[in-house]
Amino acid sequence: IASVEKAEKKLFELIDEQFITDEIDDPNVDKLPLSDLKKLQEKSQKMEVEMEVCRAPLNCIRLKGDVAEVRQLKIDILQILSSFEKHEGQQREAQHLKKIVQWKRQSSQDSLEDYDVQQNYEIEQAHSDGRPTYTYQNSSEYYTIDFQKLKETDHYARTTCTVVRVDLEKQYREGDLPRSWVS
């Protein structure tokens, strides 16, 4: 009987070494898109790791399973959370930048159109990095902005238009306030 108890104890110790429960606490858990959560659920099922997602106010992900599998899934989850946080940070920067600098392009009616918030951010990043050109895709068409010429080329239509960088802080310092600010 003593040897059975000893074997049983050794078996439970081995199980404790091979299986763990781990928890990831992160405020971004509640903000993760369902598509990311679904991919993680599918991956956890393939790895045979139990995964429980606790939304706000807990904002955690609990993992149970084989040590190696839990650790690998945890690394994957942390990478997703990190890239999500980076993306959110870029969105905040883009919103802030729109108050400081606005890139515009000349429309077909000769009026100036603002680039959207994300394009404005990416164009300004390329300009600030000293790149001579910046290429982006809108729908299925590609456009290139030449910063020296201040021209945008539509590669599909083979047309160009003028682009302008407006320093809003400088504009406001010089007294040209937005109409919404003037009573």
Side-chain angles (χ1 to χ4, degrees):
I1 295 181
S3 63
V4 172
E5 289 174 359
K6 191 175 183 179
E8 187 179 67
K9 182 180 177 188
K10 193 70 173 165
L11 183 60
F12 285 125
E13 287 174 2
L14 187 59
I15 290 171
D16 285 343
E17 289 175 12
Q18 293 299 312
F19 292 92
I20 63 168
T21 300
D22 204 349
E23 191 169 298
I24 302 167
D25 295 311
D26 191 304
N28 290 317
V29 168
D30 197 46
K31 300 174 191 172
L32 281 176
L34 290 176
S35 59
D36 285 344
L37 289 174
K38 185 176 179 182
K39 288 176 191 173
L40 288 171
Q41 288 286 3
E42 289 170 359
K43 189 166 194 166
S44 74
Q45 288 172 352
K46 286 180 186 174
M47 298 172 88
E48 296 181 4
V49 172
E50 274 185 56
M51 185 174 100
E52 178 186 4
V53 178
C54 307
R55 297 281 194 171
L58 297 176
N59 291 321
C60 70
I61 298 176
R62 292 189 185 112
L63 306 171
K64 292 180 187 176
D66 177 75
V67 172
E69 300 291 341
V70 166
R71 288 185 180 150
Q72 182 57 55
L73 187 58
K74 183 176 182 177
I75 289 168
D76 295 345
I77 292 169
L78 291 172
Q79 287 174 338
I80 288 172
L81 288 168
S82 175
S83 65
F84 179 79
E85 189 172 331
K86 181 181 177 184
H87 177 71
E88 272 204 332
Q90 286 178 339
Q91 286 181 324
R92 283 191 300 275
E93 286 179 35
Q95 288 293 338
H96 177 70
L97 181 67
K98 189 158 178 73
K99 299 173 187 172
I100 299 169
V101 171
Q102 178 60 58
W103 283 88
K104 299 174 181 253
R105 74 168 143 275
Q106 185 177 7
S107 73
S108 56
Q109 293 85 20
D110 287 335
S111 62
L112 292 176
E113 296 176 349
D114 291 356
Y115 285 94
D116 70 35
V117 173
Q118 189 61 37
Q119 284 177 326
N120 186 65
Y121 174 76
E122 292 171 9
I123 293 166
E124 182 60 21
Q125 289 294 98
H127 180 262
S128 297
D129 290 346
R131 292 173 39 195
T133 61
Y134 170 73
T135 301
Y136 69 95
Q137 183 178 0
N138 190 358
S139 299
S140 61
E141 297 183 30
Y142 288 90
Y143 300 86
T144 298
I145 296 174
D146 182 320
F147 293 115
Q148 279 76 38
K149 296 177 183 174
L150 290 177
K151 295 284 183 188
E152 176 186 86
T153 302
D154 178 337
H155 293 282
Y156 179 75
R158 299 189 187 274
T159 58
T160 61
C161 68
T162 301
V163 295
V164 178
R165 180 182 185 272
V166 179
D167 182 338
L168 298 173
E169 286 187 323
K170 181 180 178 186
Q171 183 179 11
Y172 298 150
R173 279 193 305 269
E174 293 173 357
D176 190 10
L177 298 174
R179 283 183 229 120
S180 63
W181 291 9
V182 180
S183 52

